[in-house]
Amino acid sequence: MKRTRILVAAALAATLALAGCGREGAPGAEGSGYQPTVAQNVTVEGSPTFDAMKQRGRVVVGVKDDQPNLGFRDATTNEFSGFDIDIARMVAGGLGFSPDQIDYKVIPSAAREDNIERGDVDYYVGTYTINDKRKQRVGFAGPYYVAGQSLLVRADDDAITGPQTLQGKRVCSVTGSTPIQRVKDQKLTDQVVEFQTYTQCVDQLINNQVDAVTTDDAILLGYAAQNPEQLKVVGEKFSSEPYGIGVPKADTALRNKINDLLQASIDDGTWKTIYDGTLGKSGTQTEPPAIERY
Ligand code: GLU
């Protein structure tokens, strides 16, 4: 009798585990299976950053770790996965480094320029919008994707439908991000709540402490895909957020080389493979953008 009960419980647990997997598959945390090609005998003439990587025998890449299907760390396996991570691996491969020669450094939005300027990372791949203000401090290869600002609300909220419906609402975003700046500049609400990470905002939303989270649709769709019972993305995109790979400002040689690698990945279908295996699963729809060299 007791034995049967244990078996039933075990079977139930297995079914639940399977159901969880089948539905969302540890959402946001599955690797795409992409294996980068590791180039041989690479040279990047005149790049101090590349010289430092060679000497170290390793690459230090700045990333996010809480953005499903973009830059995400599985709490159990500690494995990083997502579109930004695969792009970072593709670039490392093109520079002659295998995935196991990459050290990931998790850096929040507000600390990106500081870290790149200090040389604490060789390059940064993490939903990093290219803009003129940031270009004063860092260089950008890309864009390798174009997102747009959007809104995440509770699934049962019918009041918030777009940026013009935020007055009087508590709106959460991340310090140092372009979306929080836009909310303030356009005075979309006077109740802005600010954290270091979007996960903190999403927790606040679920716990009724804020009414909306705003940032790029690519990020918000990942959270909604993880938790469709409680969360939904609403309205049209209301900005253009071209994602670049941040590099030290003076290292034009590295920037040019990464642009070459991005272009090659778009031309040979690697970009599409990576996209389909990661961000494409969040429900975004896109084609690769044109690389802008400056
Ligand atoms: N792409 C925007 C930015 O770079 C928002 C996403 C982020 O904070 O990483 O500020």
Side-chain angles (χ1 to χ4, degrees), residues 8-256:
V8 167
L12 190 65
T15 314
L16 286 175
L18 272 178
C21 262
R23 191 165 47 97
E24 283 151 12
E30 330 152 285
S32 63
Y34 163 67
Q35 287 295 338
T37 314
V38 181
Q40 304 296 318
N41 306 318
V42 182
T43 52
V44 187
E45 202 65 47
S47 168
T49 314
F50 181 74
D51 292 346
M53 291 180 207
K54 285 300 267 189
Q55 210 164 15
R56 218 188 290 125
R58 301 192 66 77
V59 188
V60 184
V61 183
V63 294
K64 299 286 188 76
D65 69 349
D66 68 332
Q67 299 181 174
N69 292 333
L70 280 160
F72 197 82
R73 178 169 43 193
D74 186 309
T76 325
T77 63
N78 264 331
E79 287 289 319
F80 281 87
S81 65
F83 184 62
D84 285 336
I85 302 297
D86 277 354
I87 292 284
R89 286 176 180 151
M90 182 279 290
V91 169
L95 294 172
F97 296 86
S98 64
D100 56 14
Q101 290 177 298
I102 302 176
D103 294 316
Y104 296 101
K105 186 163 191 248
V106 179
I107 298 171
S109 300
R112 291 183 283 212
E113 288 84 20
D114 281 347
N115 271 266
I116 296 169
E117 271 184 339
R118 280 200 303 264
D120 287 356
V121 297
D122 296 318
Y123 56 91
Y124 185 96
V125 195
T127 60
Y128 196 10
T129 295
I130 303 171
N131 64 32
D132 289 342
K133 186 168 173 233
R134 291 173 177 169
K135 273 187 190 167
Q136 291 173 6
R137 298 181 62 189
V138 303
F140 285 105
Y144 62 93
Y145 185 77
V146 183
Q149 186 164 352
S150 193
L151 299 169
L152 183 75
V153 298
R154 285 180 289 276
D156 59 3
D157 185 329
D158 293 327
I160 300 176
T161 52
Q164 305 317 324
T165 59
L166 294 176
Q167 289 303 332
K169 303 287 185 187
R170 298 161 299 177
V171 178
C172 192
S173 195
V174 159
T175 310
S177 70
T178 51
I180 201 164
Q181 196 55 48
R182 196 166 289 106
V183 170
K184 292 175 182 172
D185 290 348
Q186 299 186 1
K187 298 189 171 48
L188 296 177
T189 178
D190 53 8
Q191 298 192 59
V192 180
V193 180
E194 200 160 331
F195 285 98
Q196 288 294 308
T197 66
Y198 295 109
T199 308
Q200 289 168 295
C201 283
V202 172
D203 289 346
Q204 295 273 311
L205 180 64
I206 291 169
N207 294 325
N208 267 299
Q209 302 299 306
V210 301
D211 304 306
V213 180
T214 187
T215 186
D216 306 336
D217 61 336
I219 300 174
L220 298 178
L221 286 163
Y223 293 122
Q226 262 191 336
N227 191 351
E229 285 84 18
Q230 289 183 288
L231 302 170
K232 64 179 178 186
V233 175
V234 292
E236 301 291 316
K237 294 186 256 186
F238 53 101
S239 76
S240 172
E241 308 289 334
Y243 288 173
I245 298 183
V247 296
K249 190 184 173 194
D251 203 331
T252 313
L254 182 64
R255 178 155 55 83
N256 289 339

